[in-house]
Amino acid sequence: MFKTMINILRKYSLFFLLVIGIISFNLYTFKGDYRVSENIGGVSNYTKVINDKGIKENIKFDSSNLYSLGIWLKVNSPGDDNDIKVKLLDGSKTVYSGNIPKNDIKASEAKEATLKLNGEKGIKVQKNKSYTLVIKDNSKRRDSSLVYLNSQKKLWHRTTYKLLDSKTIKSAAILIEVIILSFLVYLIRFSHYRKRLSKFENQFLLVSMFLIIGYALFIPVYRAPDEAQHFARAYGVLHGIFLVDSSGNINIPNNLIPVVDVVNSNYIDTIKNLHVTLSSQLSSTNIINMALYTPQSYVLQSLSIGIISIVTKNVLLIFYGSRILVGILCTLIIYYSIKYIPVGKEVLAICSLLPMNVAERASLSADGFTYTVVIALFSFVIYSLKNENNITNKMKVMMYILVFFLASCKVIYFILGFLILLIPNKKFGSKLKGVWHKLISVIILMGVSVGWLKIASRYLVNTNGGASSSEKVMFMLKHPFNYIEIMNNTLWKNIFAHVEQMIVGPLGALNIEINSGILILLLIVLVRYCVFDFKLNLRVLFIWILCLANVVLIYTSLYVQWTPALNGVSQITEIIGIQGRYFLPILPIMMVSFQLNKINNKDVSIVNDWRSIVSLLVINMLVLSNVIGFFAI
């Protein structure tokens, strides 16, 4: 019996280690109760002096579990302790009475003072009921205490609501994650589907479906990078607005983006706006940065919004439904890419399951579709190299479609379209036909990308740093070595941040911090499963040159479009706006190139190690726990 248990522990040691990891990480992550904050109106320049009788304001709450109350306050000369008193009244009944902590007040400095109501427990209030908030200065000073008002000249305050206690959310996270892990291991190792799930692409598809739904639901509404603008752009494309006005303005329903602060949105923004349905009234919204994207970049987003809009007119159901549908469609394309690529299946699956990658696919950003198209074209090229048969007419059509969409996505990736030059000419039927088809592909690639670049150039003047774009181009041409120095400075100053951003985050609007331990785990997985001995040849060298050229294009694009020339172009020393996620499409191409020496081996064995996929599932679940825990203030 004891020997049997030892054998089981040894055989499934990774499973038990992952369970221990799940429990340990969640115990660490959820240290406090789960709370969400709401900012009412924002701070304005309006102020009000606290008089002898105090300031009284009527306020309402959006949850019955009120945890804390923040007040934007300024005191010119702080006196003794506990001299500013705060009361919350329900009619004549005192619901809460307390003092502004002295440590929260600094002389002559406006600061948000946070009152934790009833310690760590919070207080019970009635949702949407009107209460009276009284702030009174008990000190001898006069006209020295000020509170700030919002744009409606009402008291600015931030309310924090406690939704779940730490024990409940901690236990729920551990239970759900262990169940998902156990279910997946059961399917792969013990169920009658295990033969089918022995293939990497099927494991990838199964895990991705869990994660797409998780990321789509748990990243707060509109909070992926520029997602509100991407949503508006996709909605406009759906309704025939293919080209945006040069000012960057687009007319969309006035409640398509009901959240005021999309960069800092949280779960309560979803709860508050679940009732919102699309309005027939239109309003102008500026999406100048998204005007730089082609309409084709939003084909999946617009399709998903259109499908979901048939079922419901609820704004957030359209948004979340579209997130999930876009993620599923992108994942299906990657699934077939993994299925048909002859080498590097595991590498492609792991790179496509990196947290930042999954989060991009499970959003309405154009970046997820861009990654998908790049991987699909790369897979097509490698498949054509290995396949003994000639390229069929259907495959030629598919190649042209992929080249067209690659050229239509972010212009900085058009260089990767030259991967088609790796396909031997004879695979097209003859050398002449091969040259002809490649020439057509290059014409499509250059024509679409350069043509759109000419159209998009009219938007540059209205983007951050884009006004001096022509001067920057001239500077690069006249002083190439100076520009190389600028790129070099930017690279080494930000290389670690770029690696972190490419693999694990920060997520959301790049402001949801992810634990660094997860980054280390992911780097271990990448090294363990994706680094192989390789043989350098002309084919691999050509791929590396394209990848390097793509990196240079990314730097140059951000230099021209986004880097401001405040003191003149010649004074620029660093390129601004580069994010690690921009390098995601390049990562799997580079890593698969390490295996290309095996492509002609007839006896090459495809190792389907389920442990790598399971490890990525658990790591992503820990990331989602981290995202949820991020809002447990």
Side-chain angles (χ1 to χ4, degrees):
M1 180 69 177
F2 180 74
K3 185 179 286 187
T4 303
M5 290 181 63
I6 294 296
N7 289 334
I8 292 174
L9 287 172
R10 184 180 300 166
K11 189 174 182 180
Y12 297 102
S13 57
L14 177 65
F15 172 78
F16 292 111
L17 284 173
L18 291 174
V19 170
I20 293 171
I22 287 173
I23 295 172
S24 302
F25 187 82
N26 283 296
L27 289 175
Y28 168 81
T29 301
F30 299 104
K31 294 180 178 178
D33 298 330
Y34 180 72
R35 304 182 287 275
V36 291
S37 295
E38 179 188 15
N39 188 348
I40 306 295
V43 180
S44 74
N45 292 324
Y46 296 105
T47 58
K48 184 182 289 188
V49 178
I50 302 177
N51 57 32
D52 295 345
K53 296 181 179 179
I55 291 176
K56 295 183 179 181
E57 291 284 352
N58 293 326
I59 62 174
K60 294 182 179 180
F61 304 107
D62 292 295
S63 174
S64 58
N65 295 310
L66 182 61
Y67 174 77
S68 70
L69 183 66
I71 303 164
W72 202 261
L73 179 72
K74 180 179 179 182
V75 179
N76 289 335
S77 54
D80 299 330
D81 294 351
N82 304 328
D83 54 359
I84 297 181
K85 197 169 188 65
V86 178
K87 282 187 178 182
L88 185 65
L89 304 177
D90 180 5
S92 59
K93 179 184 177 183
T94 300
V95 178
Y96 167 81
S97 178
N99 301 304
I100 299 287
K102 185 178 181 181
N103 292 336
D104 284 359
I105 306 174
K106 291 185 179 180
S108 302
E109 180 181 332
K111 187 179 179 183
E112 182 184 359
T114 302
L115 288 160
K116 292 185 178 180
L117 310 178
N118 195 19
E120 292 292 329
K121 297 180 180 179
I123 61 173
K124 289 284 186 179
V125 293
Q126 289 187 36
K127 185 178 178 180
N128 294 323
K129 181 178 179 179
S130 182
Y131 290 83
T132 303
L133 182 66
V134 180
I135 306 175
K136 189 175 181 181
D137 190 341
N138 292 330
S139 69
K140 296 179 181 179
R141 62 177 177 265
R142 290 293 175 259
D143 299 338
S144 58
S145 301
L146 307 171
V147 291
Y148 283 72
L149 311 180
N150 61 23
S151 56
Q152 288 78 41
K153 298 188 180 182
K154 298 291 184 181
L155 177 67
W156 184 93
H157 63 279
R158 183 197 303 272
T159 47
T160 302
Y161 303 115
K162 186 172 77 171
L163 301 185
L164 292 169
D165 61 85
S166 59
K167 184 178 179 180
T168 300
I169 187 66
K170 195 182 299 180
S171 302
I174 291 172
L175 180 62
I176 292 171
E177 290 171 19
V178 170
I179 288 175
I180 292 175
L181 172 62
S182 303
F183 179 64
L184 185 76
V185 172
Y186 165 76
L187 287 177
I188 294 176
R189 302 293 294 170
F190 302 107
S191 74
H192 61 280
Y193 297 108
R194 63 183 180 274
K195 187 174 181 180
R196 185 178 298 178
L197 288 173
S198 65
K199 297 181 178 180
F200 245 110
E201 62 267 21
N202 294 336
Q203 295 174 13
F204 166 80
L205 185 62
L206 178 64
V207 169
S208 291
M209 291 307 167
F210 280 113
L211 297 179
I212 288 295
I213 295 173
Y215 278 92
L217 295 181
F218 289 120
I219 298 293
V221 60
Y222 307 117
R223 193 156 175 170
D226 302 317
E227 192 172 22
Q229 291 182 315
H230 282 298
F231 187 32
R233 177 78 166 110
Y235 186 89
V237 170
L238 175 65
H239 291 83
I241 307 175
F242 301 124
L243 293 178
V244 180
D245 184 80
S246 58
S247 64
N249 292 320
I250 183 175
N251 289 324
I252 58 173
N254 59 11
N255 61 355
L256 187 69
I257 316 292
V259 177
V260 176
D261 185 4
V262 294
V263 174
N264 297 299
S265 66
N266 52 51
Y267 301 136
I268 203 167
D269 289 309
T270 298
I271 298 170
K272 284 177 57 182
N273 294 287
L274 275 177
H275 66 284
V276 177
T277 56
L278 279 176
S279 171
S280 58
Q281 295 182 347
L282 303 180
S283 63
S284 180
T285 300
N286 190 276
I287 56 167
I288 187 65
N289 289 339
M290 273 64 258
L292 296 169
Y293 290 80
T294 66
Q296 301 93 290
S297 303
Y298 294 95
V299 60
L300 295 187
Q301 294 92 323
S302 298
L303 175 65
S304 300
I305 293 171
I307 292 172
I308 305 298
S309 297
I310 296 173
V311 180
T312 179
K313 299 301 178 185
N314 183 288
V315 170
L316 294 194
L317 289 182
I318 293 173
F319 173 80
Y320 280 108
S322 299
R323 259 189 181 181
I324 293 172
L325 189 53
V326 167
I328 290 173
L329 292 174
C330 286
T331 298
L332 285 173
I333 297 173
I334 297 174
Y335 162 79
Y336 284 107
S337 300
I338 297 171
K339 181 177 181 179
Y340 288 107
I341 196 169
V343 294
K345 292 179 183 288
E346 189 172 23
V347 174
L348 208 53
I350 289 173
C351 290
S352 298
L353 286 174
L354 294 175
M356 178 58 81
N357 209 329
V358 183
E360 288 290 294
R361 291 207 306 278
S363 74
L364 298 182
S365 168
D367 293 336
F369 181 59
T370 300
Y371 173 88
T372 300
V373 172
V374 170
I375 295 308
L377 181 64
F378 179 65
S379 177
F380 176 88
V381 170
I382 304 304
Y383 172 79
S384 300
L385 289 174
K386 177 68 175 177
N387 189 22
E388 296 178 356
N389 300 321
N390 288 340
I391 296 175
T392 63
N393 289 332
K394 288 183 179 180
M395 291 176 66
K396 292 171 186 174
V397 172
M398 183 185 300
M399 180 182 72
Y400 289 138
I401 291 174
L402 290 173
V403 168
F404 172 76
F405 276 105
L406 179 60
S408 300
C409 292
K410 283 187 174 181
V411 177
I412 52 177
Y413 299 110
F414 89 93
I415 194 73
L416 295 177
F418 287 96
L419 286 166
I420 59 170
L421 299 179
L422 288 172
I423 303 174
N425 290 328
K426 62 181 181 180
K427 291 291 182 74
F428 291 93
S430 68
K431 289 185 177 180
L432 181 61
K433 288 181 180 179
V435 171
W436 177 246
H437 283 292
K438 289 180 181 179
L439 180 60
I440 294 175
S441 298
V442 170
I443 291 173
I444 293 174
L445 189 68
M446 297 300 295
V448 174
S449 56
V450 174
W452 179 255
L453 192 61
K454 186 174 179 61
I455 294 173
S457 62
R458 64 177 180 168
Y459 303 115
L460 281 177
V461 70
N462 292 320
T463 60
N464 181 33
S468 55
S469 57
S470 59
E471 298 174 40
K472 295 171 192 171
V473 172
M474 291 303 299
F475 178 82
M476 286 189 296
L477 295 176
K478 291 181 178 180
H479 309 282
F481 290 103
N482 291 55
Y483 180 63
I484 291 172
E485 182 65 21
I486 293 172
M487 287 194 295
N488 186 60
N489 290 339
T490 305
L491 171 65
W492 294 111
K493 185 176 180 179
N494 302 284
I495 187 168
F496 295 110
H498 290 168
V499 169
E500 183 179 20
Q501 292 168 2
M502 177 174 62
I503 294 176
V504 70
L507 294 178
L510 304 183
N511 55 6
I512 299 177
E513 297 293 337
I514 303 300
N515 188 281
S516 298
I518 296 178
L519 172 63
I520 295 172
L521 289 175
L522 283 165
L523 289 173
I524 291 172
V525 172
L526 284 170
V527 172
R528 166 65 179 83
Y529 293 104
C530 299
V531 175
F532 300 88
D533 294 331
F534 71 96
K535 182 180 179 181
L536 184 63
N537 53 42
L538 289 177
R539 185 183 291 160
V540 173
L541 185 61
F542 180 72
I543 292 175
W544 287 7
I545 291 172
L546 289 183
C547 290
L548 177 61
N550 203 166
V551 171
V552 173
L553 280 175
I554 292 172
Y555 276 73
T556 304
S557 172
L558 273 296
Y559 172 73
V560 173
Q561 176 190 341
W562 199 251
T563 304
L566 300 178
N567 298 314
V569 172
S570 62
Q571 300 301 310
I572 295 175
T573 58
E574 182 183 353
I575 299 172
I576 305 300
I578 296 176
Q579 298 170 20
R581 60 194 176 97
Y582 298 154
F583 303 103
L584 269 173
I586 303 172
L587 178 67
I589 294 176
M590 283 292 295
M591 302 196 82
V592 171
S593 71
F594 295 162
Q595 296 189 20
L596 286 186
N597 60 304
K598 302 177 182 179
I599 195 169
N600 294 321
N601 296 350
K602 293 184 179 179
D603 59 341
V604 63
S605 59
I606 304 298
V607 180
N608 291 324
D609 192 341
W610 61 276
R611 293 174 297 180
S612 62
I613 296 292
V614 170
S615 298
L616 263 296
L617 169 69
V618 171
I619 290 173
N620 276 281
M621 288 194 297
L622 298 183
V623 170
L624 287 174
S625 287
N626 202 157
V627 170
I628 297 171
F630 180 86
F631 296 99
I633 303 168

